Short mmCIF file of all heavy atoms in Angstrom, two decimals:
data_model
loop_
_atom_site.label_atom_id
_atom_site.label_comp_id
_atom_site.label_asym_id
_atom_site.label_seq_id
_atom_site.Cartn_x
_atom_site.Cartn_y
_atom_site.Cartn_z
N PRO A 1 63.23 3.85 -48.64
CA PRO A 1 63.19 5.17 -47.99
C PRO A 1 61.77 5.80 -48.09
O PRO A 1 61.14 5.70 -49.16
CB PRO A 1 64.22 5.97 -48.72
CG PRO A 1 65.13 5.04 -49.34
CD PRO A 1 64.28 3.85 -49.67
N LEU A 2 61.33 6.41 -47.01
CA LEU A 2 60.10 7.21 -46.97
C LEU A 2 60.55 8.65 -47.05
O LEU A 2 61.15 9.25 -46.12
CB LEU A 2 59.35 6.92 -45.66
CG LEU A 2 57.89 7.48 -45.60
CD1 LEU A 2 57.00 6.79 -46.61
CD2 LEU A 2 57.39 7.32 -44.20
N ARG A 3 60.24 9.27 -48.17
CA ARG A 3 60.78 10.63 -48.45
C ARG A 3 59.99 11.65 -47.61
O ARG A 3 58.82 11.91 -47.95
CB ARG A 3 60.79 10.96 -49.89
CG ARG A 3 61.63 9.89 -50.69
CD ARG A 3 61.87 10.37 -52.11
NE ARG A 3 62.57 9.34 -52.82
CZ ARG A 3 63.89 9.05 -52.72
NH1 ARG A 3 64.59 9.75 -51.88
NH2 ARG A 3 64.42 8.08 -53.48
N LEU A 4 60.63 12.26 -46.64
CA LEU A 4 60.00 13.27 -45.75
C LEU A 4 60.93 14.44 -45.58
O LEU A 4 62.16 14.24 -45.46
CB LEU A 4 59.68 12.66 -44.36
CG LEU A 4 58.69 11.45 -44.30
CD1 LEU A 4 58.68 10.94 -42.87
CD2 LEU A 4 57.29 11.89 -44.72
N THR A 5 60.41 15.66 -45.54
CA THR A 5 61.19 16.78 -45.21
C THR A 5 61.38 16.79 -43.70
O THR A 5 60.74 16.01 -42.98
CB THR A 5 60.57 18.07 -45.72
OG1 THR A 5 59.19 18.16 -45.26
CG2 THR A 5 60.58 18.11 -47.24
N LEU A 6 62.22 17.73 -43.18
CA LEU A 6 62.63 17.63 -41.81
C LEU A 6 61.47 17.71 -40.78
O LEU A 6 61.38 16.84 -39.91
CB LEU A 6 63.63 18.77 -41.51
CG LEU A 6 64.21 18.83 -40.09
CD1 LEU A 6 64.88 17.52 -39.70
CD2 LEU A 6 65.12 20.00 -39.94
N ARG A 7 60.58 18.68 -40.90
CA ARG A 7 59.59 18.85 -39.86
C ARG A 7 58.56 17.73 -39.89
O ARG A 7 58.15 17.25 -38.77
CB ARG A 7 58.98 20.26 -39.97
CG ARG A 7 59.86 21.32 -39.36
CD ARG A 7 59.29 22.67 -39.26
NE ARG A 7 60.03 23.50 -38.35
CZ ARG A 7 59.81 24.81 -38.20
NH1 ARG A 7 58.86 25.41 -38.92
NH2 ARG A 7 60.51 25.50 -37.33
N PRO A 8 58.03 17.28 -41.02
CA PRO A 8 57.20 16.06 -40.92
C PRO A 8 57.90 14.84 -40.29
O PRO A 8 57.32 14.09 -39.58
CB PRO A 8 56.82 15.84 -42.39
CG PRO A 8 56.89 17.21 -43.00
CD PRO A 8 58.04 17.86 -42.35
N ALA A 9 59.18 14.72 -40.61
CA ALA A 9 59.97 13.66 -39.98
C ALA A 9 60.05 13.82 -38.46
O ALA A 9 59.94 12.84 -37.69
CB ALA A 9 61.38 13.64 -40.56
N MET A 10 60.14 15.09 -38.00
CA MET A 10 60.21 15.26 -36.49
C MET A 10 58.82 14.98 -35.86
O MET A 10 58.75 14.46 -34.74
CB MET A 10 60.60 16.75 -36.23
CG MET A 10 62.05 17.04 -36.60
SD MET A 10 62.40 18.79 -36.56
CE MET A 10 62.27 19.08 -34.80
N VAL A 11 57.73 15.25 -36.59
CA VAL A 11 56.40 14.92 -36.12
C VAL A 11 56.30 13.41 -36.05
O VAL A 11 55.77 12.81 -35.03
CB VAL A 11 55.30 15.54 -36.97
CG1 VAL A 11 53.96 14.98 -36.60
CG2 VAL A 11 55.32 17.03 -36.85
N LEU A 12 56.74 12.71 -37.05
CA LEU A 12 56.65 11.21 -37.08
C LEU A 12 57.50 10.68 -35.91
O LEU A 12 57.03 9.69 -35.22
CB LEU A 12 57.21 10.67 -38.43
CG LEU A 12 57.31 9.19 -38.53
CD1 LEU A 12 55.94 8.53 -38.40
CD2 LEU A 12 57.92 8.78 -39.85
N GLU A 13 58.67 11.24 -35.68
CA GLU A 13 59.53 10.75 -34.54
C GLU A 13 58.74 10.88 -33.18
O GLU A 13 58.73 9.97 -32.40
CB GLU A 13 60.81 11.56 -34.49
CG GLU A 13 61.71 11.20 -33.37
CD GLU A 13 62.97 11.98 -33.33
OE1 GLU A 13 62.95 13.11 -33.82
OE2 GLU A 13 63.99 11.53 -32.82
N ALA A 14 58.08 12.07 -32.98
CA ALA A 14 57.37 12.26 -31.71
C ALA A 14 56.21 11.27 -31.57
O ALA A 14 55.96 10.76 -30.49
CB ALA A 14 56.87 13.69 -31.65
N LEU A 15 55.56 10.99 -32.63
CA LEU A 15 54.40 10.08 -32.59
C LEU A 15 54.88 8.64 -32.32
O LEU A 15 54.28 7.90 -31.52
CB LEU A 15 53.62 10.07 -33.89
CG LEU A 15 52.90 11.42 -34.22
CD1 LEU A 15 52.28 11.26 -35.63
CD2 LEU A 15 51.81 11.72 -33.17
N LEU A 16 56.00 8.23 -32.96
CA LEU A 16 56.54 6.91 -32.69
C LEU A 16 57.08 6.77 -31.26
O LEU A 16 56.93 5.73 -30.64
CB LEU A 16 57.64 6.60 -33.70
CG LEU A 16 57.15 6.36 -35.17
CD1 LEU A 16 58.35 6.32 -36.08
CD2 LEU A 16 56.34 5.10 -35.21
N GLN A 17 57.67 7.79 -30.76
CA GLN A 17 58.16 7.77 -29.38
C GLN A 17 57.04 7.58 -28.38
O GLN A 17 57.29 7.01 -27.30
CB GLN A 17 58.95 9.06 -29.08
CG GLN A 17 60.32 9.15 -29.71
CD GLN A 17 61.00 10.45 -29.55
OE1 GLN A 17 60.34 11.45 -29.23
NE2 GLN A 17 62.31 10.50 -29.67
N ALA A 18 55.87 8.07 -28.69
CA ALA A 18 54.74 7.95 -27.76
C ALA A 18 54.15 6.55 -27.70
O ALA A 18 53.35 6.24 -26.83
CB ALA A 18 53.64 8.90 -28.25
N LYS A 19 54.53 5.69 -28.65
CA LYS A 19 54.16 4.26 -28.62
C LYS A 19 52.61 4.02 -28.52
O LYS A 19 52.12 3.32 -27.62
CB LYS A 19 54.87 3.53 -27.47
CG LYS A 19 56.39 3.54 -27.60
CD LYS A 19 57.10 2.84 -26.48
CE LYS A 19 58.60 2.85 -26.69
NZ LYS A 19 59.32 2.18 -25.54
N GLY A 20 51.90 4.71 -29.39
CA GLY A 20 50.46 4.47 -29.44
C GLY A 20 49.64 5.42 -28.54
O GLY A 20 48.41 5.43 -28.64
N ARG A 21 50.30 6.24 -27.69
CA ARG A 21 49.57 7.20 -26.92
C ARG A 21 49.34 8.48 -27.74
O ARG A 21 50.09 8.77 -28.68
CB ARG A 21 50.40 7.54 -25.65
CG ARG A 21 50.61 6.32 -24.75
CD ARG A 21 51.27 6.71 -23.36
NE ARG A 21 52.57 7.46 -23.66
CZ ARG A 21 53.73 6.85 -23.75
NH1 ARG A 21 53.80 5.50 -23.73
NH2 ARG A 21 54.86 7.49 -23.97
N PHE A 22 48.35 9.22 -27.36
CA PHE A 22 48.13 10.49 -28.02
C PHE A 22 49.14 11.52 -27.63
O PHE A 22 49.60 11.59 -26.49
CB PHE A 22 46.74 11.01 -27.56
CG PHE A 22 45.58 10.38 -28.25
CD1 PHE A 22 44.79 9.42 -27.61
CD2 PHE A 22 45.21 10.68 -29.61
CE1 PHE A 22 43.74 8.78 -28.25
CE2 PHE A 22 44.21 10.05 -30.24
CZ PHE A 22 43.41 9.11 -29.55
N VAL A 23 49.54 12.27 -28.62
CA VAL A 23 50.38 13.44 -28.45
C VAL A 23 49.66 14.67 -28.78
O VAL A 23 49.14 14.79 -29.89
CB VAL A 23 51.64 13.29 -29.33
CG1 VAL A 23 52.61 14.45 -29.00
CG2 VAL A 23 52.38 11.95 -29.12
N SER A 24 49.56 15.59 -27.87
CA SER A 24 48.76 16.82 -28.11
C SER A 24 49.36 17.68 -29.22
O SER A 24 50.61 17.63 -29.47
CB SER A 24 48.61 17.62 -26.83
OG SER A 24 49.85 18.24 -26.51
N ARG A 25 48.53 18.47 -29.84
CA ARG A 25 48.98 19.40 -30.85
C ARG A 25 50.01 20.37 -30.24
O ARG A 25 51.02 20.72 -30.86
CB ARG A 25 47.83 20.20 -31.41
CG ARG A 25 48.18 21.18 -32.51
CD ARG A 25 46.97 21.93 -32.94
NE ARG A 25 47.29 22.88 -34.03
CZ ARG A 25 47.85 24.05 -33.83
NH1 ARG A 25 48.14 24.43 -32.57
NH2 ARG A 25 48.08 24.87 -34.83
N THR A 26 49.77 20.82 -29.00
CA THR A 26 50.69 21.70 -28.36
C THR A 26 52.03 21.07 -28.13
O THR A 26 53.08 21.71 -28.38
CB THR A 26 50.11 22.14 -26.97
OG1 THR A 26 48.88 22.83 -27.16
CG2 THR A 26 51.11 23.05 -26.26
N ALA A 27 52.05 19.78 -27.70
CA ALA A 27 53.35 19.10 -27.52
C ALA A 27 54.09 18.96 -28.87
O ALA A 27 55.35 19.13 -28.89
CB ALA A 27 53.06 17.77 -26.91
N LEU A 28 53.39 18.68 -29.92
CA LEU A 28 54.08 18.57 -31.26
C LEU A 28 54.61 19.92 -31.65
O LEU A 28 55.74 20.00 -32.13
CB LEU A 28 53.07 18.06 -32.29
CG LEU A 28 52.65 16.63 -32.16
CD1 LEU A 28 51.49 16.36 -33.21
CD2 LEU A 28 53.77 15.66 -32.36
N GLN A 29 53.88 20.95 -31.39
CA GLN A 29 54.32 22.30 -31.80
C GLN A 29 55.54 22.76 -30.97
O GLN A 29 56.48 23.29 -31.50
CB GLN A 29 53.20 23.31 -31.60
CG GLN A 29 53.49 24.72 -32.21
CD GLN A 29 52.21 25.52 -32.34
OE1 GLN A 29 51.12 25.02 -32.15
NE2 GLN A 29 52.37 26.75 -32.60
N GLU A 30 55.55 22.43 -29.63
CA GLU A 30 56.69 22.75 -28.85
C GLU A 30 57.88 22.02 -29.24
O GLU A 30 59.08 22.50 -29.09
CB GLU A 30 56.32 22.52 -27.37
CG GLU A 30 55.36 23.51 -26.74
CD GLU A 30 55.03 23.16 -25.32
OE1 GLU A 30 55.44 22.08 -24.84
OE2 GLU A 30 54.33 23.99 -24.69
N ASN A 31 57.75 20.77 -29.75
CA ASN A 31 58.86 20.01 -30.22
C ASN A 31 59.52 20.56 -31.42
O ASN A 31 60.72 20.30 -31.69
CB ASN A 31 58.38 18.56 -30.50
CG ASN A 31 59.50 17.58 -30.63
OD1 ASN A 31 60.36 17.50 -29.73
ND2 ASN A 31 59.53 16.81 -31.69
#
């Protein structure tokens, strides 16, 4: 297990979903 609290985990999810593409700071914040 990689121990993460909820919001860092949500950021990780958004980055992985992008499959190597850049995700803007605004998009991460809106998520």
Side-chain angles (χ1 to χ4, degrees):
L2 191 66
R3 302 193 184 281
L4 299 172
T5 55
L6 180 58
R7 282 185 163 174
M10 292 170 68
V11 171
L12 177 60
E13 180 181 26
L15 294 175
L16 289 170
Q17 287 174 338
K19 298 180 179 179
R21 299 186 301 273
F22 282 103
V23 183
S24 71
R25 181 183 181 279
T26 299
L28 290 174
Q29 190 163 351
E30 288 178 351
N31 196 50

